[in-house]
Amino acid sequence: MKKLLALALCALTLVFACAAAMADTSITFQMGGEPECMDPTINDYSSGSYALQSLFRGLYKYDADGALVPAMAESYEVSEDGCTYTFKLKEGLKWSDGSPLTAHDFEYSWKRVLNPDVGSETAYTLYSVIKDGYECFVSKTVSADDLPIRALDDTTFQVELKAPASYFITLTASTAFMPVCKANVEKYGEDWSSSPETYVCNGPFMLADMKKDESFTFVKNPNYYNADEVKIDTVKYVFLNAPETVRMAFDNGELDIATSVNSDAMKAYTGTDKLVTSDRIGYRYYEFNCSKAPFNDARVRRALTLALNRKIITEGILQDPTLPQLYGWVPYGIKDVLDPSKDWRDVVGNAFDEDIEEAKALLAEAGYPNGEGFPTFSIKYTPSTELENVAQAMAAMWKQYLGLNCEVTAVESGVCWADEGTRATGDFEIAYMGYTLDYAEPSAAFTVLENAEGKAKTRWDCPAYLELCNKMRSSISDEEREALYKEAEALLAQECPVMPIYNYVATALVSERVKGFTRNANGHPNFEYCTIAE
């Protein structure tokens, strides 16, 4: 009897151990705020991409080592002129609801992005490379139905580019190029992405729960083509904005991964395995409202841009010496066109340099000698101690160097980024902003400021810049492309619709229980290859 009891207790112990192990295959991940958009064909926000990269996969994806590998695609062929790509999809692909995923879904999705009636904010990503994409979305001289994007059969997908683009396959891993389920979108309309009950995706995880302004919960997608290799059952995205609160939650074990890492957390974890950093092709900058006087004068915008000490901001205010100060519009982390062994930023050098004397001269030329007569203006930012400190430092520099009076004003995130919010309505003079490029090529930076549709929040209209961007989409040699990029950045350095401050670095605190956590060049998290330490 005692032997039987001992065996029974041993069996129960094993059951409980297995149950505990199963219950532990989860990750709690912090990000600064709730994703603004959960539809990959419309999303143009980094926060949205943070989530969408877990829920969707395009033709290609990034593996555990950061290499570009096939996802929905099995292979592809390129025509001799480098303009026609024909993809062969994997057999038996499914959506999270179990329905077949075919090449027709890719045709529908890419045409949806370029359909002007949909009004996708990420359309520029596709029309920068796809033949007739610009004419469809901007000029409206070509219909979406007539675009050279076609499913030849259920597993064969073909697209024509306007010119050879060596980086095109990289684009197919970005959110704008990910598919959405045609049947599901047509059934539920624009609301398909607002509820777990109507949400259909094709990535390693699927949406299980949405708590507004609190958290989203993703669970493993059993219909994902690579589901057998996914070891995490649940990823909970928790939305916390205050770095101090984030640090406390991580220290207490309430978070497995934290992305809002302030200077105190950096100091505390520097030199430990818990602080994980990687390059990120993005930057922090500030937008001018170029339609408001006196910021409708390029001399004023350039004066303020030159009169900032970026080293003081990164090393003194942010106390983060890892952040590269930025003196141009193309961020670090992008290879040079002619010599891919080098960084484009290092090859080209600074597009502008800090110069107080030139800034003073420009202001005087614009009619404000020593700042006389210049109206009080403001910098608007979303609530954050660090953003407030940076804004205060910028205001102090402009006061000291140029004699200008600048106020700093916090605007709630929901108000700042809303469709009818601060930036959209133009209720600002200078507003903080950040962006992560969709792919690692200089053209990705320039199309962000193109304003071909007249909708850019900067309200900066420059026909010469539009012409340069159009030339980037044409068939030109690498030498011509390099020269074109330099010309575009030189124009931006004179016009200054924006003020670049520093390059992003992807920083995170990662618990020792999580193994294999990586982020791509855009800084987006990848949980597909994560495991939990035993």
Side-chain angles (χ1 to χ4, degrees), residues 94-396:
K94 294 181 180 180
W95 291 102
S96 57
D97 65 355
S99 62
L101 188 161
T102 71
H104 299 281
D105 289 304
F106 275 96
E107 177 182 346
Y108 168 78
S109 302
W110 290 19
K111 286 182 175 179
R112 174 178 166 80
V113 177
L114 290 170
N115 186 339
D117 293 336
V118 174
S120 171
E121 292 194 21
T122 193
Y124 67 88
T125 313
L126 274 74
Y127 72 57
S128 66
V129 290
I130 293 177
K131 182 181 178 181
D132 294 333
Y134 185 91
E135 290 73 14
C136 176
F137 193 83
V138 181
S139 304
K140 299 180 177 60
T141 55
V142 175
S143 72
D145 290 338
D146 293 331
L147 289 169
I149 301 168
R150 57 186 75 92
L152 304 184
D153 55 45
D154 284 352
T155 59
T156 311
F157 177 62
Q158 190 176 84
V159 61
E160 293 179 38
L161 309 186
K162 59 185 63 183
S166 59
Y167 53 87
F168 177 65
I169 295 301
T170 303
L171 281 174
T172 68
S174 63
T175 53
F177 288 78
M178 291 174 175
V180 292
C181 180
K182 178 180 179 181
N184 191 62
V185 176
E186 290 184 340
K187 180 178 180 179
Y188 295 105
E190 294 181 0
D191 293 333
W192 77 269
S193 62
S194 61
S195 166
E197 290 73 30
T198 59
Y199 203 89
V200 174
C201 54
N202 74 319
F205 301 92
M206 57 188 188
L207 185 61
D209 184 56
M210 301 174 80
K211 290 185 173 66
K212 184 170 178 57
D213 297 327
E214 182 181 329
S215 66
F216 287 176
T217 301
F218 304 160
V219 296
K220 181 177 176 179
N221 176 10
N223 290 309
Y224 181 52
Y225 84 95
N226 197 37
D228 290 345
E229 301 301 318
V230 178
K231 305 304 180 186
I232 302 300
D233 287 322
T234 305
V235 180
K236 186 174 184 179
Y237 278 56
V238 176
F239 312 131
L240 293 174
N241 187 45
E244 298 82 5
T245 304
V246 172
R247 163 80 186 281
M248 186 180 302
F250 182 81
D251 289 345
N252 293 338
E254 299 168 32
L255 298 172
D256 293 307
I257 301 172
T259 62
S260 298
V261 183
N262 64 7
S263 56
D264 289 339
M266 287 276 291
K267 291 176 183 177
Y269 286 100
T270 294
T272 73
D273 293 337
K274 292 182 179 180
L275 182 64
V276 178
T277 61
S278 59
D279 294 332
R280 180 179 171 189
I281 52 172
Y283 31 49
R284 171 71 66 224
Y285 62 95
Y286 288 77
E287 298 173 314
F288 288 106
N289 184 338
C290 300
S291 66
K292 275 191 176 183
F295 304 103
N296 57 351
D297 189 328
R299 294 170 296 185
V300 170
R301 300 193 299 264
R302 180 170 166 85
L304 269 67
T305 300
L306 300 185
L308 289 176
N309 189 318
R310 287 156 177 78
K311 188 172 184 178
I312 288 178
I313 291 173
T314 58
E315 297 185 12
I317 306 302
L318 298 174
Q319 298 181 42
D320 187 351
T322 68
L323 296 174
Q325 294 107 40
L326 197 56
Y327 302 93
W329 183 241
V330 178
Y332 288 96
I334 292 179
K335 295 178 180 179
D336 182 55
V337 177
L338 300 179
D339 186 356
S341 68
K342 298 178 181 178
D343 192 284
W344 195 87
R345 188 80 272 150
D346 291 331
V347 170
V348 173
N350 294 345
F352 64 87
D353 292 295
E354 292 161 5
D355 190 327
I356 305 302
E357 293 308 312
E358 181 183 349
K360 290 179 178 178
L362 284 166
L363 263 193
E365 186 180 325
Y368 307 102
N370 300 314
E372 296 171 11
F374 201 96
T376 298
F377 61 101
S378 71
I379 302 177
K380 292 189 175 178
Y381 61 94
T382 54
S384 159
T385 300
E386 293 194 359
L387 285 176
E388 180 181 6
N389 290 342
V390 169
Q392 293 282 9
M394 293 168 65

Side-chain angles (χ1 to χ4, degrees), residues 3-13:
K3 186 175 182 180
L4 287 174
L5 182 59
L7 287 171
L9 289 172
C10 183
L12 283 172
T13 300

Side-chain angles (χ1 to χ4, degrees), residues 360 363 370-372 374 397-405:
K360 290 179 178 178
L363 263 193
N370 300 314
E372 296 171 11
F374 201 96
M397 291 176 193
W398 289 328
K399 179 66 174 178
Q400 178 183 350
Y401 301 143
L402 304 178
L404 305 182
N405 295 313

